[in-house]
Amino acid sequence: ENHLKRAIHLFPSMESAYSGLGEIYFNQKRYNEAVTYLKKAVENMPSEPTFHKQLAEGYQALNMDAEAKKEFDEYNRLLKKAP
């Protein structure tokens, strides 16, 4: 966790660090924090389907169904677009 926070501090656009922190927080059931970091991962790399799926799962854990659906839809759209 601390290594990822340091990476974000040094490289604020490092989407994989945001995703990694989001995943850690999600696994710790710290869903609000997870969503905060997963949103940053999506902002920094909106074309990565996995980030949308992770964010959707975070929203789902918070019972934010409309937001979860939007992210799952984007995840599926990007998967269909991939080679």
Side-chain angles (χ1 to χ4, degrees):
E1 178 182 351
N2 288 332
H3 293 298
L4 292 171
K5 285 184 177 180
R6 178 105 173 109
I8 288 170
H9 178 72
L10 293 172
F11 307 101
S13 63
M14 187 177 191
E15 68 280 341
S16 60
Y18 289 107
S19 173
L21 264 178
E23 189 173 340
I24 287 170
Y25 291 141
F26 183 87
N27 290 332
Q28 294 174 345
K29 298 184 180 0
R30 294 163 62 183
Y31 301 124
N32 284 313
E33 291 167 280
V35 163
T36 297
Y37 284 98
L38 294 169
K39 282 169 48 174
K40 291 294 279 182
V42 167
E43 286 174 20
N44 285 323
M45 186 174 242
S47 61
E48 175 53 53
T50 304
F51 297 160
H52 289 278
K53 183 175 185 276
Q54 289 175 314
L55 181 55
E57 291 168 347
Y59 282 140
Q60 201 170 39
L62 292 171
N63 296 314
M64 298 173 71
D65 297 332
E67 293 86 347
K69 182 184 180 327
K70 177 181 170 271
E71 294 302 327
F72 276 126
D73 288 348
E74 183 63 9
Y75 166 72
N76 286 317
R77 187 188 74 75
L78 289 169
L79 279 184
K80 288 178 185 171
K81 189 175 159 185

